[in-house]
Amino acid sequence: LVGSEMCIRDRQRLNEAGVNTSWIEKYSAEPTGLTVSVSTREDRAFFSYYGANEELKPMLRRPDWIQFMSSAKIVHIATSPDHKLDRALIPALHRAKTLVSLDVQNHLSWLTSPSNLRLMRAADILMPNEVEAEWVSGETGVHRVLRGLRKKGLKRVVLKLGGKGAAMTWDQKEFFVDPYSVLTEDTTGAGDCFNAGFLFGLLQSED
């Protein structure tokens, strides 16, 4: 979903890079959404203008989009969706044997709202960072957090721990992985890259 400023040349450049643009939709009433990240080694903050993304929620309820997404093996939702999403989209994806992963990304009010717990349970995989998982579980400490998430009915959670690595609860089992040693320059996008790598590995293991 892009905004009013996208032109034919932009689409051509994406096609030349091997990106399938057939399902890009243009919303002419607003420019494309924009997020600015202000990062330090210790913390970061985001400032977002939703722009055309305001049309995302109604678009995800459209039958043509639901049918299109049902052709995928995994649909990853990287936003704080409407809690009613599980009434149409997620059941349709599950009927098509499509997995749904969810990373709400630092939305305290969304993650702590009881009305959204049903949607988190409906997703096949929840992918929070440590702080977000603490908000959902009401616990601190990785082991207690994972147990707290299971008590809330979340069966598969992949937990990003930054410099401490990663943890996972998967069908009642717990797993822990140490991090690689790297020189940190900027953590912007690190969680998204982790999600992509994990989901790619999951697809490879299924094949």
Side-chain angles (χ1 to χ4, degrees):
L1 183 61
V2 297
S4 55
E5 78 287 354
M6 185 171 185
C7 62
I8 294 176
R9 179 56 186 157
D10 295 326
R11 189 183 293 266
Q12 289 174 340
R13 290 175 63 188
L14 290 171
N15 287 331
E16 291 167 0
V19 177
N20 182 352
T21 62
S22 58
W23 281 85
I24 287 180
E25 289 210 8
K26 185 174 181 179
Y27 181 58
S28 298
E30 292 279 355
T32 301
L34 176 68
T35 293
V36 176
S37 172
V38 179
S39 302
T40 68
R41 288 184 181 272
E42 292 77 28
D43 203 358
R44 59 182 176 170
F46 295 99
F47 302 89
S48 294
Y49 170 71
Y50 278 17
N53 287 334
E54 291 288 356
E55 288 298 298
L56 182 61
K57 290 179 181 179
M59 189 176 75
L60 291 177
R61 298 191 186 99
R62 281 174 24 195
D64 58 332
W65 269 93
I66 291 175
Q67 182 179 3
F68 170 66
M69 287 186 284
S70 295
S71 65
K73 292 183 178 180
I74 296 177
V75 168
H76 180 64
I77 301 171
T79 185
S80 51
D82 185 343
H83 70 272
K84 298 178 182 178
L85 195 67
D86 64 330
R87 297 181 185 176
L89 176 59
I90 293 180
L93 294 175
H94 284 163
R95 286 193 295 271
K97 309 299 183 185
T98 298
L99 294 177
V100 178
S101 59
L102 176 63
D103 184 356
V104 177
Q105 301 187 358
N106 206 39
H107 286 260
L108 173 60
S109 59
W110 194 99
L111 288 165
T112 55
S113 171
S115 63
N116 292 321
L117 185 58
R118 176 179 167 180
L119 195 152
M120 287 187 274
R121 289 171 178 159
D124 298 288
I125 308 169
L126 184 67
M127 309 186 78
N129 63 29
E130 186 173 8
V131 173
E132 294 159 358
E134 290 175 350
W135 293 340
V136 176
S137 67
E139 301 284 355
T140 58
V142 176
H143 289 284
R144 291 191 297 273
V145 164
L146 293 177
R147 285 196 298 270
L149 293 172
R150 288 197 298 272
K151 288 180 180 178
K152 288 183 176 289
L154 304 174
K155 298 179 180 179
R156 294 181 175 182
V157 181
V158 180
L159 187 56
K160 292 164 283 191
L161 302 175
K164 295 182 289 185
M168 179 171 71
T169 180
W170 197 271
D171 298 336
Q172 300 297 318
K173 295 182 179 180
E174 292 185 3
F175 303 87
F176 300 87
V177 178
D178 292 328
Y180 289 102
S181 179
V182 297
L183 177 62
T184 303
E185 295 291 342
D186 188 345
T187 61
T188 304
D192 295 312
C193 291
F194 178 97
N195 293 345
F198 180 88
L199 296 174
F200 177 77
L202 183 62
L203 287 173
Q204 295 295 103
S205 66
E206 288 185 348
D207 294 337

